[in-house]
């Protein structure tokens, strides 16, 4: 089975802090994604990556950046955390580039910014 | 923090009943669809997928129906069990684009 692991289940940070969320997949997947999930808004794509050192903006990239130095690891960075970034963050991956394949998700990091 | 289940339409069924969860998708050019299940405190879990050249696909206790004419997707769960209680949402995809997710339906199964 695919295993997508997010390093923290719950995280509390303060406004203005730089926050790192980590995601690791163990199935040699090429594509990785970061979403945030908010009540009433569903899943919204922040950034994604098709390969090491490559990144693409999703629908809501403002206030975020990403890093993919190794194939198995995709990091989401909040450069200067704000209270409106309090949310559930979900990482996902797919095996290869190309259409018609499901994304496999981690269990999420619930981030609170105080 | 708030649960992902708040603000969602809810379907309440009795254990043993069949459940039907519906999804209206937005783009007539979408060619691939997925159903996910999300239990409280967990990430979305893949249930079943279907390509646009099919009308129906069956899995274990689940069936997905696709009606391209009215852009409608449904998930049928047979003999619903308390462990099926979760938020269910659909996702659509066109070619090499990223997935677009629906907002979901909460399924509540009473013993």
């Amino acid at each position: 089975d695919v295993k997508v692991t997010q390093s923290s289940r719950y995280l509390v940070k303060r406004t203005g802090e730089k926050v790192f969320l980590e995601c690791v997949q163990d199935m040699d997947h090429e594509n990785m994604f970061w979403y945030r999930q908010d009540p009433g808004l569903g899943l919204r794509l922040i950034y994604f990556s098709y390969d090491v050192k490559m990144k693409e903006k999703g629908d809501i990239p403002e206030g975020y950046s990403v890093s993919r130095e190794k194939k198995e690891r995709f990091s989401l960075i909040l450069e200067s955390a704000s209270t409106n970034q309090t949310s559930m963050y979900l990482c996902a991956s797919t095996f290869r580039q190309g259409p018609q394949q499901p994304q496999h998700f981690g269990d999420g990091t619930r981030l609170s910014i105080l | 923090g708030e649960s992902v289940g708040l603000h969602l339409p809810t379907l309440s069924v009795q254990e043993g009943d069949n459940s039907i969860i519906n999804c209206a998708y937005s783009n007539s050019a979408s060619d691939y669809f997925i159903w996910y299940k999300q239990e409280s405190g967990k990430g979305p879990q893949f249930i079943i997928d279907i390509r646009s050249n099919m009308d129906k696909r069956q899995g274990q206790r689940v069936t997905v129906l696709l009606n391209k004419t009215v852009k409608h997707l449904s998930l049928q769960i047979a003999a619903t069990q308390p462990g099926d209680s979760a938020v269910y949402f659909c996702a659509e995809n066109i070619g090499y684009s990223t997935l677009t997710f629906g907002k979901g339906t909460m399924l509540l199964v009473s013993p």
Side-chain angles (χ1 to χ4, degrees):
Chain A
D1 280 352
V2 176
K3 185 68 173 176
V4 179
T5 303
Q6 295 183 231
S7 56
S8 303
R9 293 298 304 276
Y10 301 94
L11 209 52
V12 180
K13 297 291 182 180
R14 296 205 173 274
T15 303
E17 281 193 68
K18 189 169 186 176
V19 181
F20 293 85
L21 302 183
E22 306 288 345
C23 175
V24 176
Q25 48 87 10
D26 66 354
M27 289 299 291
D28 201 34
H29 282 188
E30 291 187 358
N31 310 319
M32 298 187 75
F33 306 81
W34 274 107
Y35 295 88
R36 62 178 285 175
Q37 185 176 34
D38 300 287
L41 297 177
L43 273 78
R44 293 180 291 167
L45 181 63
I46 305 171
Y47 267 97
F48 58 104
S49 169
Y50 286 137
D51 202 350
V52 175
K53 296 192 185 296
M54 293 183 66
K55 61 183 180 183
E56 298 283 344
K57 292 181 179 179
D59 300 319
I60 52 163
E62 296 78 20
Y64 303 95
S65 63
V66 290
S67 173
R68 190 148 182 221
E69 296 297 318
K70 293 184 178 181
K71 190 175 185 179
E72 67 271 18
R73 186 180 297 271
F74 192 35
S75 302
L76 180 70
I77 304 157
L78 285 65
E79 297 291 344
S80 178
S82 63
T83 54
N84 63 11
Q85 292 178 308
T86 291
S87 186
M88 168 71 89
Y89 289 87
L90 291 162
C91 176
S93 69
T94 58
F95 175 56
R96 64 186 185 282
Q97 294 192 32
Q100 301 191 348
Q101 51 181 318
Q103 293 180 15
H104 300 275
F105 286 85
D107 278 336
T109 296
R110 187 166 291 281
L111 175 64
S112 295
I113 306 296
L114 305 179
Chain B
E2 288 187 85
S3 164
V4 68
L6 292 180
H7 313 296
L8 293 176
T10 300
L11 174 65
S12 296
V13 301
Q14 293 288 123
E15 183 177 1
D17 288 351
N18 296 332
S19 302
I20 300 176
I21 301 170
N22 297 306
C23 177
Y25 63 92
S26 57
N27 196 324
S28 58
S30 293
D31 57 11
Y32 177 62
F33 305 88
I34 309 170
W35 277 102
Y36 285 94
K37 171 186 180 184
Q38 187 173 18
E39 297 174 270
S40 181
K42 294 188 176 181
Q45 176 187 0
F46 170 79
I47 302 174
I48 192 167
D49 58 3
I50 188 168
R51 290 172 172 76
S52 59
N53 60 354
M54 303 171 68
D55 297 323
K56 178 180 179 179
R57 191 170 186 214
Q58 289 185 288
Q60 187 176 11
R61 276 202 310 120
V62 295
T63 300
V64 56
L65 299 177
L66 176 62
N67 185 330
K68 295 180 284 295
T69 302
V70 295
K71 294 189 290 185
H72 184 267
L73 193 67
S74 68
L75 177 71
Q76 301 179 0
I77 305 173
T80 313
Q81 303 166 0
D84 294 326
S85 293
V87 173
Y88 291 81
F89 53 90
C90 63
E92 61 184 293
N93 171 244
I94 305 169
Y96 286 77
S97 70
T98 55
L99 291 174
T100 300
F101 293 86
K103 293 184 174 51
T105 297
M106 175 170 281
L107 176 66
L108 296 175
V109 183
S110 304

